[in-house]
């Protein structure tokens, strides 16, 4: 008898045998493409080393790559075996050489890795691009070690093709509670006061402690062994691209990059060699037609980890207040506007 998932378990694990409708949406690329017309907003089933040379150069605005870490791991039965450092360096150089021609002169690239491969990737990345930063994010999940420190961090390298590149700082500021509010002439200084609390929108650093690894009760979760969260991809995509631009993922996996690009009104293109993961990617893209939510990112604001109840409370308060605003007289208008104030985007806050 097949195991039944718990009622709150939202993990996407549709097998290929039941996912023909999604697999049929994928395409293959066998000949040189003169433009992106036939491949844009598609999942390409294939080997990235074979596909990239067939794609048109200088057409991608942002590359987000999550290559296999240098660990022996099974990806739906396909084994990636741990290599010598010199061989993994060669592998890294090979795929970077394949994707670089696709990136526009003003484009950016982000590469995910663990602490061991980070040493290799940072070095090789600098041979092809201008390295800007190394982001470290706290993953928390993971087994402890008896004779070592638990591995609770991973890296993301940020690089650009030139000194001309996009970085939308306002789009990725973090909203944090103000513990000791500072005032000038009785007015808030660099923070916002509201009935729901005092908040400041702060510049993001290269240490991210607000990312949650997808888990079984999250709608975005799949059975992919190394899936990254939509919130993480949202930070990267909002910072380093604009609406309507093209996001490319050469190791698409279960499709997080494409899904988030779609939700944020970007074009997307991804290559994945495993049919099973292509099924999940297209299934998630279909789900994004009706649901554009990104857990941890709402109303133009990135929220701290484990703040879902607060987000829901503020959303409920806002909806209630807006409803009253539409029914009551001008007497209540000022109170309603306080709640509307809380729903403004970071862009609005910065313009003031």
């Amino acid at each position: 008898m097949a195991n039944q998932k718990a009622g709150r378990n939202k993990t996407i694990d549709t097998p290929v045998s039941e996912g023909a409708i999604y697999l049929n949406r994928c395409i293959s690329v066998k000949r040189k493409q003169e433009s992106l017309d036939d491949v844009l907003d598609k999942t390409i089933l294939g080997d990235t080393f074979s596909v990239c040379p067939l794609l048109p150069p200088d057409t991608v605005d942002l590359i987000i790559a999550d290559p296999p870490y240098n660990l022996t791991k099974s990806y739906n039965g396909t084994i990636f075996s741990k290599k010598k450092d010199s061989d993994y360096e060669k592998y890294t150089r090979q795929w970077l050489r394949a994707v670089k021609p696709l990136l526009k002169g003003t484009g950016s690239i982000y590469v995910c890795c663990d602490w061991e491969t980070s040493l290799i990737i940072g070095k090789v990345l600098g041979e092809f691009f201008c390295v800007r930063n190394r982001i470290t994010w706290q993953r928390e999940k993971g087994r402890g070690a008896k004779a070592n420190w638990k591995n609770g961090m991973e890296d993301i390298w940020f690089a650009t093709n030139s000194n001309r590149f996009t970085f939308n700082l306002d789009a990725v500021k973090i909203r944090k509670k103000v513990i000791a509010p500072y005032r000038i002439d009785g007015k808030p200084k660099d923070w916002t006061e509201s009935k729901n609390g005092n908040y400041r929108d702060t510049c993001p650093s290269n240490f991210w402690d607000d990312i949650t690894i997808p888990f079984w009760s999250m709608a975005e979760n799949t059975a992919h062994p190394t899936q990254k969260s939509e919130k993480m991809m949202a930070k990267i995509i909002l910072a380093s691209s604009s609406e309507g631009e093209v996001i490319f993922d050469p190791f698409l996996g279960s499709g997080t990059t494409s899904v988030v690009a779609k939700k944020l009104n970007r074009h997307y293109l991804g290559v994945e060699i495993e049919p099973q993961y292509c099924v999940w990617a297209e299934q998630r893209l279909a789900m994004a037609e009706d649901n554009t939510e990104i857990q941890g990112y709402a109303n133009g604001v990135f929220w701290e980890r484990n703040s879902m109840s607060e987000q829901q409370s503020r959303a409920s308060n806002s909806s209630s207040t807006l409803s009253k605003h539409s029914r009551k007289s001008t007497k209540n208008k000022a109170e309603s506007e306080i709640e509307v104030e809380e729903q403004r985007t970071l862009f609005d806050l910065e313009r003031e």
Side-chain angles (χ1 to χ4, degrees):
M1 182 175 178
N3 292 330
Q4 295 291 324
K5 288 193 292 189
R8 291 178 57 208
N9 190 339
K10 301 177 182 178
T11 302
I12 296 171
D13 56 3
T14 305
V16 173
S17 59
E18 299 174 12
I21 186 175
Y22 302 115
L23 192 59
N24 290 339
R25 296 181 184 182
C26 300
I27 64 171
S28 60
V29 175
K30 303 296 185 182
R31 58 181 179 82
K32 185 74 174 178
Q33 302 294 303
E34 298 302 325
S35 72
L36 291 179
D37 292 348
D38 294 332
V39 297
L40 200 61
D41 300 330
K42 301 289 186 182
T43 299
I44 299 175
L45 175 57
D47 178 5
T48 199
F49 293 104
S50 300
V51 171
C52 285
L54 300 177
L55 299 177
D58 303 316
T59 52
V60 171
D61 298 283
L62 172 62
I63 295 173
I64 303 176
D66 187 11
Y69 297 176
N70 195 18
L71 304 167
T72 297
K73 200 170 192 68
S74 173
Y75 295 93
N76 195 46
T78 298
I79 306 297
F80 183 92
S81 299
K82 183 176 177 63
K83 307 175 186 298
K84 295 188 299 183
D85 285 355
S86 58
D87 289 336
Y88 191 80
E89 180 175 325
K90 181 180 179 181
Y91 169 77
T92 300
R93 191 172 286 110
Q94 182 183 6
W95 73 258
L96 283 172
R97 187 176 291 114
V99 303
K100 180 176 174 62
L102 307 180
L103 195 63
K104 293 179 181 177
T106 54
S108 300
I109 180 172
Y110 288 76
V111 184
C112 301
C113 52
D114 66 353
W115 70 271
E116 284 189 279
T117 56
S118 183
L119 302 174
I120 297 170
I121 286 175
K123 170 189 172 183
V124 180
L125 194 63
E127 298 175 10
F128 295 85
F129 303 98
C130 305
V131 175
R132 299 288 170 185
N133 214 325
R134 184 188 68 184
I135 299 162
T136 297
W137 63 281
Q138 187 178 19
R139 69 188 305 276
E140 283 201 342
K141 281 182 67 176
R143 296 178 180 177
K146 292 183 178 180
N148 203 340
W149 306 103
K150 175 182 174 180
N151 184 18
M153 304 286 188
E154 291 190 13
D155 287 345
I156 308 171
W157 285 91
F158 165 42
T160 63
N161 229 351
S162 69
N163 289 327
R164 293 176 56 243
F165 59 93
T166 296
F167 194 82
N168 301 311
L169 176 64
D170 291 339
V172 288
K173 286 190 174 180
I174 309 296
R175 180 158 294 181
K176 295 185 177 181
K177 289 183 178 180
V178 177
I179 305 301
Y182 179 65
R183 297 175 183 269
I184 295 181
D185 297 329
K187 296 182 179 181
K189 172 63 175 176
D190 296 329
W191 55 277
T192 300
E193 184 176 31
S194 78
K195 292 169 61 178
N196 293 316
N198 302 326
Y199 295 89
R200 174 181 290 115
D201 295 330
T202 63
C203 291
S205 76
N206 60 355
F207 174 62
W208 296 354
D209 61 354
D210 61 329
I211 302 297
T212 297
I213 294 287
F215 51 88
W216 59 274
S217 64
M218 295 170 66
E220 69 186 77
N221 191 49
T222 75
H224 192 284
T226 60
Q227 180 184 346
K228 300 302 188 291
S229 74
E230 293 188 5
K231 184 179 182 181
M232 173 190 290
M233 293 304 168
K235 285 175 178 277
I236 295 172
I237 290 172
L238 285 168
S240 294
S241 72
S242 302
E243 289 194 11
E245 292 188 336
V246 178
I247 318 299
F248 175 61
D249 189 332
F251 304 97
L252 186 61
S254 60
T256 302
T257 300
S258 292
V259 170
V260 176
K262 181 174 183 174
K263 290 182 176 182
L264 296 176
N265 300 314
R266 273 74 168 170
H267 290 293
Y268 57 87
L269 176 64
V271 182
E272 174 54 45
I273 196 170
E274 285 294 331
Q276 178 64 86
Y277 300 154
C278 289
V279 167
W280 297 341
E282 283 297 324
Q283 185 174 356
R284 294 175 67 194
L285 285 166
M287 292 167 62
E289 293 285 347
D290 300 316
N291 183 3
T292 60
E293 292 182 357
I294 297 172
Q295 187 162 322
Y297 174 74
N299 301 307
V301 174
F302 283 101
W303 291 79
E304 295 176 313
R305 180 186 288 168
N306 300 323
S307 62
M308 182 62 71
S309 60
E310 183 180 357
Q311 295 179 48
Q312 292 173 341
S313 174
R314 290 179 62 193
S316 176
N317 290 340
S318 177
S319 298
S320 174
T321 304
L322 289 172
S323 178
K324 292 177 182 178
H325 176 72
S326 65
R327 295 195 308 266
K328 294 188 176 182
S329 64
T330 309
K331 179 180 179 180
N332 293 327
K333 182 176 181 181
E335 182 179 352
S336 297
E337 286 180 343
I338 292 175
E339 296 300 326
V340 174
E341 176 87 4
E342 278 301 290
Q343 299 305 314
R344 292 179 305 169
T345 68
L346 296 172
F347 297 98
D348 296 325
L349 292 169
E350 282 300 302
R351 281 198 294 264
E352 296 180 351

